[in-house]
Amino acid sequence: MLIIIISMLNFAYPVLYLHFISKNPEANFTIKDITTALTKNTGRLLVFILGLVFIIFPLLMLLFTLLFLMIFIIIGLPLLLIAMPAVLAWINLSFYDYLTEKTGFFRAFKNGFLLLKQQFWTIVGTTFVMLMLIQIVQGIITMVPYFIGIIYFFSSGQTNMSDPESEGLATMGIFAAVIMILAVLLSYFFNNLVLINQGLIYYSLREENESTSLISNIDLIGADNE
């Protein structure tokens, strides 16, 4: 549970960072301000985690199980490729609304759904491309030390004949640990990139909605004068 909370705090950092930028375009804030905001929102983050795990995830498991079963009738595959980035965008947009607007859990997911529906194909397409690029880059980075380890394993086995098997296994164990740590660090880094991408979408949609609302209010003022 502690790892989940730490991970959620890590994910909340870029959300609050963009929130501070939106409130202070000149970046007139410090890391301490963001850390303080993280501390104050720990309780809300815990509520979001629990709601996500016990309410949202079970529903999503049913949805994706159905889509996986539909793969056998072909139509399930394109639906699955659409649903995955759509669900990710929905959760992230809801997370932004929940954390920055201080809305309730269910209200945040309702607002996130409305934002997603507002420009569905654009958001899904952007999120899909972002995920594909991240998977490619992360795969290339993690495979480099893997291949280096394999090459070293075979070369050391040929050059050192005293106990090549034990030394080779020890070396492979070290490389496996390095790859695992690297994969975890890259996962945190790229997840933050996804969150920043989703944050840009969130604030652009909000700006669009607020501009539309402002224009509507101006039109109403003109109508009242009549």
Side-chain angles (χ1 to χ4, degrees), residues 109-211:
F109 273 89
K110 179 183 177 181
N111 292 343
F113 178 77
L114 293 175
L115 290 172
L116 174 64
K117 190 173 69 172
Q118 186 174 330
Q119 293 188 16
F120 181 81
W121 292 111
T122 301
I123 296 172
V124 169
T126 303
T127 306
F128 181 81
V129 171
M130 186 74 177
L131 291 175
M132 288 299 100
L133 289 174
I134 286 174
Q135 287 298 318
I136 292 171
V137 174
Q138 187 171 1
I140 292 173
I141 294 174
T142 53
M143 288 302 289
V144 169
Y146 175 76
F147 283 118
I148 292 175
I150 291 178
I151 294 171
Y152 181 81
F153 174 76
F154 285 108
S155 62
S156 63
Q158 293 176 354
T159 56
N160 188 359
M161 301 302 295
S162 58
D163 193 3
E165 185 175 351
S166 60
E167 286 194 10
L169 290 175
T171 304
M172 286 300 294
I174 294 173
F175 272 108
V178 170
I179 292 171
M180 184 178 67
I181 294 171
L182 180 62
V184 171
L185 293 176
L186 286 174
S187 176
Y188 279 115
F189 174 74
F190 286 125
N191 279 331
N192 283 340
L193 284 184
V194 172
L195 276 170
I196 292 172
N197 171 261
Q198 302 290 291
L200 296 176
I201 294 173
Y202 174 77
Y203 284 107
S204 65
L205 290 174
R206 279 195 54 189
E207 184 178 356
E208 180 181 330
N209 292 337
E210 289 170 2
S211 298

Side-chain angles (χ1 to χ4, degrees), residues 41-62:
N41 284 280
T42 302
R44 288 180 56 80
L45 287 171
L46 184 59
V47 171
F48 191 86
I49 293 170
L50 293 175
L52 202 61
V53 171
F54 293 105
I55 299 175
I56 303 299
F57 280 172
L59 297 175
L60 293 179
M61 286 179 64
L62 292 175

